[in-house]
Short mmCIF file of all heavy atoms in Angstrom, two decimals:
data_model
loop_
_atom_site.label_atom_id
_atom_site.label_comp_id
_atom_site.label_asym_id
_atom_site.label_seq_id
_atom_site.Cartn_x
_atom_site.Cartn_y
_atom_site.Cartn_z
N LEU G 1 99.92 118.47 110.01
CA LEU G 1 99.29 118.58 108.66
C LEU G 1 98.08 117.71 108.63
O LEU G 1 97.87 116.81 109.49
CB LEU G 1 100.30 118.12 107.55
CG LEU G 1 101.59 118.86 107.48
CD1 LEU G 1 102.53 118.22 106.41
CD2 LEU G 1 101.39 120.36 107.13
N SER G 2 97.21 117.95 107.68
CA SER G 2 95.99 117.12 107.54
C SER G 2 96.46 115.76 107.00
O SER G 2 97.51 115.62 106.36
CB SER G 2 95.00 117.75 106.54
OG SER G 2 95.57 117.75 105.18
N ARG G 3 95.65 114.77 107.30
CA ARG G 3 95.92 113.47 106.84
C ARG G 3 96.03 113.36 105.32
O ARG G 3 96.95 112.76 104.74
CB ARG G 3 95.04 112.37 107.39
CG ARG G 3 95.48 110.93 107.15
CD ARG G 3 94.50 109.86 107.37
NE ARG G 3 95.06 108.55 107.19
CZ ARG G 3 95.37 108.04 106.03
NH1 ARG G 3 95.10 108.79 104.89
NH2 ARG G 3 95.86 106.85 105.95
N PRO G 4 94.97 113.88 104.57
CA PRO G 4 95.07 113.89 103.13
C PRO G 4 96.33 114.58 102.58
O PRO G 4 97.00 114.09 101.68
CB PRO G 4 93.74 114.54 102.75
CG PRO G 4 92.81 114.35 103.85
CD PRO G 4 93.66 114.41 105.09
N GLY G 5 96.59 115.70 103.24
CA GLY G 5 97.81 116.49 102.75
C GLY G 5 99.08 115.67 103.06
O GLY G 5 100.00 115.66 102.19
N THR G 6 99.16 115.09 104.20
CA THR G 6 100.31 114.24 104.53
C THR G 6 100.50 113.08 103.56
O THR G 6 101.61 112.75 103.15
CB THR G 6 100.26 113.69 105.98
OG1 THR G 6 100.06 114.77 106.88
CG2 THR G 6 101.49 112.86 106.40
N ASP G 7 99.38 112.41 103.21
CA ASP G 7 99.38 111.37 102.23
C ASP G 7 100.00 111.73 100.95
O ASP G 7 100.78 111.06 100.38
CB ASP G 7 98.00 110.74 102.04
CG ASP G 7 97.93 109.50 101.26
OD1 ASP G 7 98.70 108.56 101.63
OD2 ASP G 7 97.27 109.49 100.25
N VAL G 8 99.57 112.92 100.47
CA VAL G 8 100.07 113.40 99.12
C VAL G 8 101.63 113.73 99.33
O VAL G 8 102.40 113.30 98.39
CB VAL G 8 99.37 114.69 98.80
CG1 VAL G 8 100.01 115.36 97.50
CG2 VAL G 8 97.90 114.42 98.43
N VAL G 9 102.02 114.33 100.36
CA VAL G 9 103.40 114.59 100.53
C VAL G 9 104.26 113.28 100.58
O VAL G 9 105.32 113.19 100.00
CB VAL G 9 103.67 115.43 101.85
CG1 VAL G 9 105.12 115.53 102.15
CG2 VAL G 9 103.00 116.84 101.64
N VAL G 10 103.76 112.28 101.34
CA VAL G 10 104.47 111.12 101.57
C VAL G 10 104.65 110.37 100.19
O VAL G 10 105.70 109.89 99.96
CB VAL G 10 103.87 110.23 102.63
CG1 VAL G 10 104.51 108.77 102.61
CG2 VAL G 10 104.04 110.85 103.98
N ARG G 11 103.56 110.37 99.47
CA ARG G 11 103.64 109.67 98.18
C ARG G 11 104.70 110.39 97.29
O ARG G 11 105.41 109.69 96.56
CB ARG G 11 102.28 109.63 97.48
CG ARG G 11 101.27 108.79 98.19
CD ARG G 11 99.94 108.84 97.54
NE ARG G 11 98.88 108.03 98.18
CZ ARG G 11 98.73 106.77 98.08
NH1 ARG G 11 99.33 106.12 97.13
NH2 ARG G 11 97.78 106.11 98.67
N GLY G 12 104.70 111.69 97.30
CA GLY G 12 105.75 112.36 96.53
C GLY G 12 107.11 112.06 96.97
O GLY G 12 107.99 111.94 96.16
N LEU G 13 107.40 112.02 98.28
CA LEU G 13 108.65 111.75 98.81
C LEU G 13 109.14 110.26 98.48
O LEU G 13 110.35 110.00 98.28
CB LEU G 13 108.65 111.87 100.31
CG LEU G 13 108.60 113.31 100.82
CD1 LEU G 13 108.34 113.33 102.34
CD2 LEU G 13 109.78 114.10 100.47
N VAL G 14 108.16 109.37 98.39
CA VAL G 14 108.47 108.00 97.89
C VAL G 14 108.97 108.00 96.45
O VAL G 14 109.99 107.40 96.12
CB VAL G 14 107.29 107.05 98.11
CG1 VAL G 14 107.54 105.70 97.39
CG2 VAL G 14 106.93 106.84 99.55
N THR G 15 108.26 108.77 95.61
CA THR G 15 108.66 108.91 94.15
C THR G 15 109.97 109.50 94.05
O THR G 15 110.79 109.02 93.28
CB THR G 15 107.54 109.73 93.52
OG1 THR G 15 106.31 109.11 93.59
CG2 THR G 15 107.93 109.85 92.01
N GLU G 16 110.32 110.53 94.86
CA GLU G 16 111.58 111.16 94.75
C GLU G 16 112.71 110.39 95.42
O GLU G 16 113.88 110.76 95.28
CB GLU G 16 111.51 112.56 95.40
CG GLU G 16 110.63 113.48 94.66
CD GLU G 16 110.23 114.78 95.49
OE1 GLU G 16 110.80 114.83 96.65
OE2 GLU G 16 109.49 115.60 94.96
N GLY G 17 112.39 109.40 96.15
CA GLY G 17 113.47 108.55 96.74
C GLY G 17 113.81 108.89 98.20
O GLY G 17 114.75 108.28 98.80
N TRP G 18 113.13 109.86 98.75
CA TRP G 18 113.51 110.26 100.21
C TRP G 18 112.81 109.34 101.15
O TRP G 18 113.31 109.31 102.37
CB TRP G 18 112.91 111.70 100.49
CG TRP G 18 113.75 112.78 99.80
CD1 TRP G 18 113.55 113.48 98.70
CD2 TRP G 18 114.98 113.31 100.38
NE1 TRP G 18 114.50 114.39 98.44
CE2 TRP G 18 115.42 114.33 99.48
CE3 TRP G 18 115.79 113.03 101.49
CZ2 TRP G 18 116.61 115.07 99.68
CZ3 TRP G 18 116.91 113.80 101.72
CH2 TRP G 18 117.34 114.84 100.76
N VAL G 19 111.77 108.69 100.83
CA VAL G 19 111.04 107.89 101.73
C VAL G 19 110.88 106.47 101.12
O VAL G 19 110.65 106.32 99.94
CB VAL G 19 109.68 108.54 102.08
CG1 VAL G 19 108.80 107.46 102.86
CG2 VAL G 19 109.90 109.78 102.91
N GLN G 20 110.91 105.44 102.00
CA GLN G 20 110.64 104.03 101.51
C GLN G 20 109.41 103.44 102.16
O GLN G 20 109.09 103.78 103.33
CB GLN G 20 111.91 103.18 101.91
CG GLN G 20 113.13 103.66 101.18
CD GLN G 20 114.31 102.82 101.63
OE1 GLN G 20 114.47 102.63 102.81
NE2 GLN G 20 115.23 102.45 100.81
N VAL G 21 108.72 102.62 101.42
CA VAL G 21 107.68 101.87 101.95
C VAL G 21 108.13 100.65 102.75
O VAL G 21 108.97 99.95 102.18
CB VAL G 21 106.62 101.37 100.86
CG1 VAL G 21 105.50 100.59 101.46
CG2 VAL G 21 106.13 102.57 100.08
N VAL G 22 107.64 100.42 103.97
CA VAL G 22 108.02 99.27 104.73
C VAL G 22 106.94 98.22 104.63
O VAL G 22 105.70 98.42 105.01
CB VAL G 22 108.17 99.70 106.31
CG1 VAL G 22 108.54 98.39 107.08
CG2 VAL G 22 109.14 100.80 106.44
N GLU G 23 107.29 97.18 103.96
CA GLU G 23 106.34 96.05 103.79
C GLU G 23 105.94 95.37 105.10
O GLU G 23 106.83 95.25 106.00
CB GLU G 23 106.91 95.02 102.87
CG GLU G 23 107.29 95.61 101.39
CD GLU G 23 106.02 96.13 100.68
OE1 GLU G 23 104.92 95.68 101.08
OE2 GLU G 23 106.17 97.03 99.91
N PRO G 24 104.69 95.04 105.30
CA PRO G 24 104.28 94.33 106.50
C PRO G 24 104.96 93.02 106.67
O PRO G 24 105.26 92.29 105.61
CB PRO G 24 102.81 94.18 106.32
CG PRO G 24 102.52 94.32 104.87
CD PRO G 24 103.55 95.20 104.39
N ASP G 25 105.29 92.66 107.89
CA ASP G 25 106.04 91.41 108.19
C ASP G 25 105.08 90.22 108.35
O ASP G 25 105.51 89.08 108.56
CB ASP G 25 106.91 91.54 109.40
CG ASP G 25 106.08 91.95 110.66
OD1 ASP G 25 104.87 91.92 110.59
OD2 ASP G 25 106.74 92.20 111.65
N GLY G 26 103.75 90.40 108.27
CA GLY G 26 102.82 89.34 108.39
C GLY G 26 102.42 88.99 109.79
O GLY G 26 101.70 87.98 110.01
N SER G 27 102.91 89.77 110.71
CA SER G 27 102.61 89.39 112.11
C SER G 27 101.26 89.89 112.59
O SER G 27 100.78 89.46 113.63
CB SER G 27 103.71 89.94 113.05
OG SER G 27 103.76 91.39 112.91
N SER G 28 100.64 90.83 111.89
CA SER G 28 99.37 91.39 112.32
C SER G 28 98.22 90.78 111.57
O SER G 28 98.42 90.25 110.43
CB SER G 28 99.38 92.91 112.09
OG SER G 28 99.67 93.25 110.75
N VAL G 29 97.01 90.83 112.18
CA VAL G 29 95.83 90.26 111.58
C VAL G 29 95.14 91.33 110.75
O VAL G 29 95.12 92.52 111.11
CB VAL G 29 94.95 89.74 112.69
CG1 VAL G 29 93.66 89.19 112.04
CG2 VAL G 29 95.61 88.64 113.53
N GLY G 30 94.63 90.92 109.63
CA GLY G 30 93.91 91.88 108.79
C GLY G 30 94.98 92.68 107.93
O GLY G 30 96.07 92.34 107.75
#
């Protein structure tokens, strides 16, 4: 899928509860 399309789908799945956001662990720079 296109990146913009995937982004829309993922956001919808987060809202519906199928997908969770993984918070960064602080190990990466930036």
Side-chain angles (χ1 to χ4, degrees):
L1 302 174
S2 69
R3 191 192 181 288
T6 302
D7 187 54
V8 170
V9 169
V10 169
R11 290 176 185 274
L13 291 172
V14 170
T15 300
E16 293 168 359
W18 284 99
V19 170
Q20 295 175 317
V21 179
V22 178
E23 298 298 336
D25 58 9
S27 60
S28 57
V29 179

